[in-house]
Amino acid sequence: MPSSVRDNSVPYGLRRNLHHPARGGQCSAARAPGHCSDLCQACSDITLLLRPSAMVHHSLDTAMSITPTTTLDSMPTTPWSPTNSYPDVPMVMSGFTSRLWSHESQPQFWSKYQVWEWLQQVLDMHQIDAANIPFQNFDMDGHQLCSLSYQDFIRAAGSMGTILFHSLTELKWSAQCHAEIGQLEVKPELDFPCPFPDVSYPPGEIYDPIIHPLAPVASPTPSSPADIKRSYSRPHQVRKHNPRGTHLWEFIRDILLSPERNPGLIKWEDRTEGVFRFLKSEAVAQLWGKKKNNSSMTYEKLSRAMRYYYKREILERVDGRRLVYKFGRNARGWRESEK
DNA sequence: TACTACTTTCCTGCTT
DNA sequence: AAAGCAGGAAAGTAGT
């Protein structure tokens, strides 16, 4: 239908139902967040994602006082990584329990070794040369690390201090989010004041795995601190310019690779085969819309874009399963071996 | 400015 | 009945 004859004064969801009488009554809030007086699932999901302020303040107040249970010399029994911190289990909000956010994933409980791992992974994520960070200044465990102020980070790591502080803050935030997520009061709020003035996102902005790629997913875990230092010897790498910004499939991929920042949105169905499923389809669409500054983004539109990827073999069809997609031969960066 | 790649919007028909 | 999938068509957006 030519756009000239489209009735754009009527929301598409309603227009569609007008054209499609079988579709009356779907929640239009998913298509127009903030305009729904009754809570629907999508609104609730978004709220959970966008409303961390209370949790964060609580996190900052209380996290520091937690007594570490690890010693300086204790070594982790398992490598610290988002993948093994988050087993492939359903991660819907309501079912999110503390077993998915174990002590070893909380910065407060890190050993000295884990602090170094974190340093390495932040550097990997930002492709920063290790020479930029004086490791001797971070010869401490997680409890001590968490007690550092922003200024302490600046003193310890110079310009890198901001990145490190930012990363640690997010991890503490995540830890607290996950600890409290089950008790979280659900309200239809879409904006929140940024809790970290020194490292703030723009007002109302939510975590974006592309803009803020702080989740440590970049590299294999070294077997020792010595390996960590050796791995830093490579020259500083420059990110490949992506003139179009992040594509949808990359956005989806990065959510999958950073589940601790977007719990319960998308989950791997088959990690090895690249099969994944949307758990909160409208929430993902809202997140994508937020990134594209498009408040009217819906899963319906997002899924159309996803279907275009079939032709380009960035995605493959998964027949007979709703909300399930599979990375295709032209998708890059999702395999564990590619990290 | 034109071209291009990619995404978004709208739609119908169908399936789950 | 509602939600999701498939895919055509066209418009919008942004980089070159």
Side-chain angles (χ1 to χ4, degrees):
Chain A
M1 180 192 298
S3 60
S4 58
V5 297
R6 286 173 185 159
D7 180 8
N8 291 320
S9 65
V10 181
Y12 170 59
L14 298 177
R15 261 180 285 152
R16 174 176 179 165
N17 290 336
L18 288 174
H19 288 292
H20 210 298
R23 289 178 184 172
Q26 65 178 305
C27 177
S28 61
R31 294 180 165 79
H35 296 89
C36 177
S37 57
D38 300 318
L39 274 180
C40 66
Q41 186 64 44
C43 297
S44 304
D45 298 341
I46 289 294
T47 301
L48 287 168
L49 282 168
L50 302 189
R51 195 179 156 268
S53 57
M55 295 181 289
V56 171
H57 288 305
H58 183 61
S59 169
L60 290 175
D61 291 343
T62 60
M64 307 302 178
S65 63
I66 297 171
T67 304
T69 55
T70 53
T71 66
L72 284 175
D73 297 321
S74 67
M75 298 290 279
T77 52
T78 56
W80 184 89
S81 76
T83 47
N84 57 24
S85 296
Y86 292 85
D88 189 20
V89 297
M91 290 167 64
V92 289
M93 293 291 188
S94 57
F96 212 92
T97 61
S98 58
R99 74 187 175 87
L100 294 178
W101 191 261
S102 60
H103 275 196
E104 70 188 51
S105 297
Q106 298 182 40
Q108 297 88 351
F109 300 107
W110 287 349
S111 66
K112 192 162 87 174
Y113 176 84
Q114 287 171 300
V115 169
W116 280 20
E117 280 193 315
W118 163 73
L119 281 171
Q120 182 216 356
Q121 295 186 43
V122 171
L123 291 175
D124 276 350
M125 281 303 299
H126 292 266
Q127 302 190 3
I128 297 166
D129 194 303
N132 291 317
I133 292 187
F135 273 73
Q136 67 276 12
N137 292 347
F138 291 93
D139 186 20
M140 62 185 74
D141 65 11
H143 180 65
Q144 293 169 294
L145 184 74
C146 287
S147 70
L148 297 182
S149 68
Y150 176 69
Q151 290 305 323
D152 290 335
F153 272 91
I154 297 299
R155 275 192 289 273
S159 59
M160 298 296 107
T162 299
I163 293 171
L164 294 172
F165 178 76
H166 196 161
S167 173
L168 185 67
T169 300
E170 291 210 19
L171 287 167
K172 287 192 289 188
W173 175 4
S174 290
Q176 197 63 25
C177 284
H178 288 91
E180 299 189 3
I181 209 109
Q183 312 157 18
L184 190 62
E185 176 189 16
V186 175
K187 290 179 179 176
E189 298 172 10
L190 284 172
D191 291 312
F192 59 89
C194 179
F196 309 117
D198 288 334
V199 290
S200 62
Y201 301 146
E205 184 169 341
I206 52 181
Y207 170 76
D208 184 309
I210 311 305
I211 298 171
H212 310 291
L214 294 171
V217 296
S219 69
T221 303
S223 57
S224 71
D227 290 340
I228 294 173
K229 294 220 173 188
R230 271 195 297 277
S231 72
Y232 291 151
S233 60
R234 67 177 180 272
H236 184 82
Q237 296 173 359
V238 178
R239 280 172 190 274
K240 193 176 172 182
H241 178 55
N242 185 354
R244 295 186 187 282
T246 302
H247 296 160
L248 173 59
W249 72 270
E250 295 171 305
F251 173 80
I252 298 299
R253 176 198 65 192
D254 290 325
I255 289 177
L256 279 162
L257 295 179
S258 305
E260 71 279 10
R261 301 300 308 139
N262 297 278
L265 292 181
I266 316 173
K267 69 165 277 196
W268 289 110
E269 290 274 294
D270 186 330
R271 182 71 178 83
T272 313
E273 294 297 315
V275 180
F276 58 93
R277 181 162 61 92
F278 284 81
L279 299 174
K280 310 285 184 186
S281 54
E282 288 296 345
V284 174
Q286 289 296 312
L287 204 56
W288 174 240
K290 187 85 179 176
K291 178 172 179 56
K292 299 294 289 288
N293 198 27
N294 177 358
S295 61
S296 64
M297 178 51 61
T298 65
Y299 175 72
E300 190 167 4
K301 295 172 189 172
L302 183 150
S303 65
R304 181 69 191 99
M306 297 283 280
R307 290 195 293 274
Y308 270 120
Y309 288 142
Y310 294 148
K311 214 166 193 174
R312 295 160 58 197
E313 296 188 274
I314 289 170
L315 293 176
E316 292 178 20
R317 284 188 186 79
V318 178
D319 291 330
R321 301 203 59 198
R322 290 185 167 198
L323 303 173
V324 177
Y325 298 85
K326 180 176 190 268
F327 285 119
R329 57 195 290 183
N330 293 330
R332 297 279 181 267
W334 60 269
R335 290 182 181 84
E336 286 180 297
S337 60
E338 292 180 83
K339 285 181 185 176

